[in-house]
Amino acid sequence: MCASEVKTVPLDTILQPISTDPPPGSFKGHAHVVKPMRIRARDRAGPLPTNKFYGNLMLGDSHAPIWTHPYGLRWDSNGPAQNGLSISHIDDNMKVFGPEQMISQEPRGGRGDARPGTSKYYINPFLVSMGFSATEFDDQHDLTVGDFGEFGCTMVLSPASERWRGALENPKAFIRVPIVRGMAFITGVYQDLTPRIFSSILVRTLTRDPNPRTDGWVKYKFLIENGITWLLYAKPDRPHDPALDLKMFNQGQIVSTSGKFTGLIQIAKLPVGRETEAESIYDSSVGVYATGGELAVRQKEAGGYRIDWRLAGDLNKQFIHFTLPHHRMVLTDVSKPTSLVLPSTTKGKMIAYVGPSWNLYEPERLSIDFLPKDWSCTVTKEQLDKIRQQAQQDAELDFDQGTNLDSMYFAGKGLAKFALLNLVIKDVLQDKGQLQAMSLQKLKSSFERFMDNRQMFPLVYDTTWKGLISIQGLERGALADFGNSWYNDHHYHYGYFIHTAAIIRHLDPEWRAADLILFVNSLLRDVANPSSADLHFPVFRSFDWFMGHSWSQGLFTSLDGKDEESTSEDINLYYAMSLWGKVTNRPELDQLGQLMLTIARRSIQNYFLLEDDNKNHPRAFVGNKVTGILFENKVDHTTYFSARIECIQGIQMIPATPALPMIRKREFVQQEWDSLLRTHVGEITDGWKSILMMNYGMLNKAEAWVYFSRPVPLDDGMTRTWAMFYVASLQP
């Protein structure tokens, strides 16, 4: 690589590269069977995002929708009526709800009766209210995508004639559309095309604003059949070009009669009932738009982070951008709210704020150690004696049987449970003799099978998308090991390995130190690479800094966008990253893990764990208490592996570590227990009951202690030693 290509990183940021070296040679290179589609040549050489919200644009035929919030977008090539970029926005009264579920509720103090429950799911239909196009487009027109970043990308639409003349990479006629999270306008940068606007809903009236504007913009109002009004603004680049003149030729097709157009067209929706004040805000902000965003996390800024929106157009105009509820809880007064409000699909109301930079300050970063805080004040001597007896039994378990598996997910869970066992033996029981030595050696032996990449299905370095994936999926199909080879769930899978490694290094800092660091840093680079200076992995594969949580879904086309299921396994990665930073003397990793954990806590409590007064989901859904699977466009109270209530609720409870109570507030746990779990837990006979009882320890640690004091079926990621200690350590 030329010296001029080396990216420098400011020294005062915690977003430092973990490493810039090539992946270790133990991970053999392997091309992926899924090929990225429609990516510009200059963007194909580097690491490609696999779990970002705009992923559908790079997969299959690229026609599955994406969501910037509040808008949904879809590239269409559906004959003469609908070629180009389709735009959708759904108000809350247009959401579609699934069937009601029966939820058993037992009020405190007495048994209740089964009552009609809440909807199993809700979804936002994709209704094409408006669309960008050109008369030069037919169903053979092209899409290219590039400029990938944390907050968006760029889409370019061009007529087939550009491809025919070999100019697809640098077309002379095109519509360039920045795709940015939270954008207030959908902006089309037109170059030498004849604009055509379409709608799949009949357009009642098309009205041009008769009042001339001094800034050169013309404005049209589209009143469509459902009673919603959309605004369209247009301004040519060249001052002597004619203003855009639109005529409606039928009730869904509006075409320019002023010829080809080079300039900006911006589209936005007026909220019902507040049209006048919203229109005034749009009028003041038209002409400036975001093309992306830059994330800044400075070491000196304690719990804060900043998003600097990268702007184009008329920079003298007031810039507005939509915020989500968790943003507004921590936005400083540098950004000012407006009265412009539109609903998101699955995360509550979005409010437009003024300002090109968002300073988001978390009052505290969650710094959590290996063991629960003040555990020695809550665990009694009698409990320690029983925990010691159990630890002696658990140390005799066959560690290899529980970890030498054909799944990175289940192997990781197994390794982490034995790591927690060792943590209790050494740091809680203070054992420095044969028990500790034997158990730790067994853990090391099981772990180094993966560290040396000798497991049943080794990891390979994917040279197509750039990442570490299990070979299993490439040999056995996309859904093997929950889709690991397609980049599903890496933050779940690898979080367990990173947590295990942090405990091993904490207990024995000298054990194979160089090999351990190289292996774990490679996993971290795959799932949470903080810096574009690392050219071997994409930046923050899973974590979405706008949404405040990770996305699980990788290289699968999804009509409802990316999704997230297990929030507790999500936070386990950030917790593990923080611990790994501590034991390797990488304070920037420790701080980054703390910050991501803190942000995720706020997001998860707003959008995934639903207290009775939650305002971000419809009342018809809140009674489910957890989202189940939260997609970009729908929420479904289920899991990918089971529809059992203990699985839907319980997958949000594992692994039980000191980080978990920081996310699951006692009030929420009480509400969930009373409304869903109290009357059901007695019917469960397998290991899922142990998960619910660990969680129940937050409400009644004495009863939970009694439960785990006897042999009971356990989840495969749990030992009785850790269960007993964890419950005993909880604050009363």
Side-chain angles (χ1 to χ4, degrees):
M1 184 171 62
C2 300
S4 61
E5 295 176 315
V6 177
K7 298 183 179 181
T8 59
V9 182
L11 295 178
D12 64 341
T13 179
I14 64 174
L15 302 178
Q16 299 289 334
I18 299 170
S19 172
T20 58
D21 295 334
S26 57
F27 304 118
K28 295 180 179 179
H30 200 298
H32 207 285
V33 297
V34 176
K35 305 305 179 187
M37 305 298 292
R38 297 174 181 83
I39 296 176
R40 288 183 317 198
R42 69 173 181 260
D43 294 289
R44 285 199 289 264
L48 297 174
T50 56
N51 295 54
K52 296 301 184 191
F53 75 94
Y54 46 80
N56 277 339
L57 297 177
M58 299 179 282
L59 297 171
D61 63 11
S62 302
H63 288 312
I66 62 172
W67 283 267
T68 60
H69 299 278
Y71 298 111
L73 306 174
R74 186 179 68 206
W75 177 48
D76 280 334
S77 55
N78 297 331
Q82 201 165 302
N83 286 309
L85 180 63
S86 296
I87 304 167
S88 176
H89 180 267
I90 297 299
D91 288 317
D92 287 340
N93 63 354
M94 301 174 71
K95 287 175 165 55
V96 175
F97 291 85
E100 284 192 343
Q101 303 182 96
M102 294 301 293
I103 295 179
S104 178
Q105 183 177 37
E106 180 182 353
R108 296 181 200 180
R111 183 175 179 83
D113 297 321
R115 63 175 175 84
T118 55
S119 294
K120 178 181 182 297
Y121 66 83
Y122 70 89
I123 190 171
N124 299 263
F126 195 99
L127 301 179
V128 181
S129 296
M130 296 282 280
F132 281 127
S133 188
T135 59
E136 292 83 358
F137 288 2
D138 58 18
D139 58 8
Q140 298 299 310
H141 77 283
D142 289 297
L143 161 74
T144 57
V145 62
D147 297 330
F148 304 122
E150 176 56 36
F151 301 101
C153 64
T154 301
M155 169 192 296
V156 176
L157 305 177
S158 58
S161 58
E162 295 294 323
R163 172 170 25 92
W164 296 337
R165 70 181 190 85
L168 186 58
E169 290 290 331
N170 294 289
K172 292 183 178 179
F174 58 82
I175 307 173
R176 185 173 67 249
V177 184
I179 307 295
V180 183
R181 284 289 207 199
M183 59 189 187
F185 294 94
I186 304 95
T187 300
V189 182
Y190 274 72
Q191 180 70 39
D192 201 28
L193 290 173
T194 308
R196 183 171 63 83
I197 308 301
F198 61 84
S199 174
S200 66
I201 306 171
L202 294 181
V203 178
R204 289 185 193 171
T205 60
L206 170 66
T207 308
R208 180 169 174 171
D209 189 343
N211 301 314
R213 293 174 59 104
T214 59
D215 57 7
W217 288 86
V218 296
K219 177 173 65 174
Y220 289 87
K221 291 184 181 180
F222 291 67
L223 176 61
I224 60 178
E225 190 63 30
N226 60 9
I228 305 296
T229 299
W230 290 74
L231 300 177
L232 182 148
Y233 299 86
K235 182 181 180 181
D237 278 353
R238 297 179 290 263
H240 299 297
D241 283 359
L244 180 66
D245 188 42
L246 295 177
K247 298 296 182 188
M248 184 160 58
F249 286 85
N250 60 51
Q251 289 188 303
Q253 299 292 318
I254 294 88
V255 178
S256 167
T257 59
S258 50
K260 292 187 176 182
F261 180 80
T262 296
L264 287 182
I265 296 179
Q266 293 189 285
I267 291 176
K269 178 185 173 179
L270 290 177
V272 176
R274 309 187 73 173
E275 288 91 345
T276 301
E277 56 185 311
E279 184 175 353
S280 177
I281 295 169
Y282 284 131
D283 285 351
S284 300
S285 305
V286 68
V288 61
Y289 57 96
T291 62
E294 301 295 336
L295 176 68
V297 188
R298 305 299 180 192
Q299 290 177 328
K300 63 183 179 182
E301 291 177 349
Y305 62 110
R306 192 177 76 245
I307 302 173
D308 296 318
W309 298 109
R310 191 166 57 250
L311 305 185
D314 187 350
L315 302 186
N316 294 316
K317 290 293 189 70
Q318 164 186 280
F319 173 71
I320 58 173
H321 211 73
F322 278 108
T323 61
L324 285 166
H326 78 282
H327 297 141
R328 298 192 291 274
M329 297 171 74
V330 293
L331 265 171
T332 67
D333 57 8
V334 173
S335 303
K336 303 295 183 182
T338 71
S339 58
L340 175 57
V341 182
L342 287 175
S344 70
T345 52
T346 58
K347 289 188 168 79
K349 301 296 184 184
M350 301 191 78
I351 299 177
Y353 269 57
V354 176
S357 292
W358 289 2
N359 290 309
L360 302 112
Y361 186 78
E362 289 286 354
E364 61 170 338
R365 282 185 185 167
L366 289 176
S367 180
I368 305 172
D369 214 332
F370 286 94
L371 293 172
K373 185 179 179 181
D374 299 328
W375 67 266
S376 60
C377 300
T378 59
V379 182
T380 67
K381 181 180 182 303
E382 292 75 13
Q383 288 173 326
L384 283 176
D385 289 341
K386 292 185 178 180
I387 293 169
R388 180 176 288 105
Q389 294 173 16
Q390 184 60 47
Q392 291 169 346
Q393 297 179 38
D394 287 343
E396 297 294 334
L397 293 171
D398 187 337
F399 286 22
D400 281 348
Q401 185 180 40
T403 61
N404 186 18
L405 306 173
D406 63 356
S407 163
M408 289 295 289
Y409 175 69
F410 287 115
K413 282 185 69 176
L415 288 165
K417 82 173 180 182
F418 290 125
L420 289 169
L421 167 65
N422 275 271
L423 188 67
V424 171
I425 291 172
K426 178 73 178 293
D427 286 4
V428 175
L429 302 177
Q430 298 293 306
D431 188 290
K432 299 178 182 178
Q434 181 60 30
L435 177 65
Q436 189 268 337
M438 175 194 68
S439 183
L440 184 56
Q441 181 54 45
K442 290 170 68 175
L443 175 62
K444 292 173 181 177
S445 177
S446 294
F447 188 83
E448 66 183 349
R449 175 181 296 108
F450 295 87
M451 187 166 67
D452 296 335
N453 210 22
R454 294 182 286 103
Q455 65 269 31
M456 293 185 189
F457 292 99
L459 298 182
V460 296
Y461 178 70
D462 168 20
T463 56
T464 303
W465 297 85
K466 310 294 192 295
L468 296 179
I469 59 175
S470 170
I471 192 68
Q472 182 176 182
L474 302 181
E475 297 176 348
R476 296 191 173 184
L479 297 181
D481 200 4
F482 303 98
N484 177 291
S485 307
W486 265 241
Y487 292 99
N488 278 9
D489 300 353
H490 279 204
H491 55 314
Y492 303 159
H493 297 195
Y494 299 163
Y496 283 112
F497 284 87
I498 297 164
H499 187 199
T500 299
I503 292 175
I504 291 174
R505 186 167 172 86
H506 166 70
L507 297 177
D508 185 355
E510 303 303 321
W511 180 72
R512 296 192 61 180
D515 295 333
L516 186 66
I517 289 173
L518 188 62
F519 172 65
V520 175
N521 283 354
S522 298
L523 298 183
L524 263 176
R525 291 168 70 189
D526 172 84
V527 74
N529 166 32
S531 173
S532 59
D534 183 350
L535 303 178
H536 304 285
F537 297 90
V539 175
F540 292 113
R541 182 185 305 285
S542 301
F543 194 72
D544 186 326
W545 284 86
F546 189 86
M547 292 299 179
H549 62 83
S550 289
W551 294 112
S552 304
Q553 190 181 92
L555 300 179
F556 292 91
T557 299
S558 171
L559 295 179
D560 291 303
K562 299 300 184 185
D563 69 73
E564 169 88 329
E565 185 175 71
S566 176
T567 56
S568 48
E569 289 175 308
D570 188 0
I571 66 162
N572 188 54
L573 170 68
Y574 320 136
Y575 172 54
M577 181 191 303
S578 173
L579 294 179
W580 181 248
K582 286 179 172 68
V583 298
T584 56
N585 194 28
R586 295 286 296 267
E588 73 281 4
L589 281 180
D590 182 13
Q591 293 175 41
L592 182 58
Q594 291 176 25
L595 178 60
M596 294 169 73
L597 180 61
T598 304
I599 295 170
R601 173 179 65 172
R602 189 173 300 281
S603 181
I604 290 166
Q605 290 176 349
N606 270 279
Y607 310 129
F608 292 86
L609 307 182
L610 312 182
E611 294 187 50
D612 291 345
D613 60 354
N614 185 281
K615 299 296 192 297
N616 300 320
H617 290 278
R619 296 308 305 165
F621 188 83
V622 170
N624 290 311
K625 307 315 297 173
V626 302
T627 49
I629 307 174
L630 185 144
F631 295 80
E632 294 261 36
N633 187 53
K634 78 174 180 182
V635 185
D636 193 352
H637 188 242
T638 188
T639 73
Y640 278 112
F641 59 91
S642 175
R644 293 164 58 190
I645 188 69
E646 60 268 30
C647 300
I648 301 171
Q649 312 302 126
I651 198 64
Q652 312 292 339
M653 303 175 188
I654 59 171
T657 70
L660 190 63
M662 301 297 103
I663 308 301
R664 297 177 62 84
K665 294 194 292 186
R666 184 183 180 90
E667 294 84 354
F668 165 76
V669 173
Q670 186 74 66
Q671 292 171 12
E672 181 187 41
W673 184 262
D674 289 344
S675 64
L676 291 179
L677 301 178
R678 183 190 298 272
T679 59
H680 183 68
V681 68
E683 303 169 3
I684 306 170
T685 58
D686 60 13
W688 282 97
K689 184 171 183 176
S690 67
I691 294 172
L692 301 190
M693 291 304 294
M694 289 270 276
N695 170 72
Y696 180 57
M698 292 184 65
L699 306 177
N700 189 332
K701 59 181 292 182
E703 187 174 335
W705 169 264
V706 170
Y707 177 80
F708 285 109
S709 296
R710 60 182 187 272
V712 291
L714 296 176
D715 175 63
D716 53 13
M718 185 189 305
T719 63
R720 277 183 65 203
T721 298
W722 177 255
M724 293 169 70
F725 168 73
Y726 178 85
V727 167
S729 72
L730 291 169
Q731 298 298 317

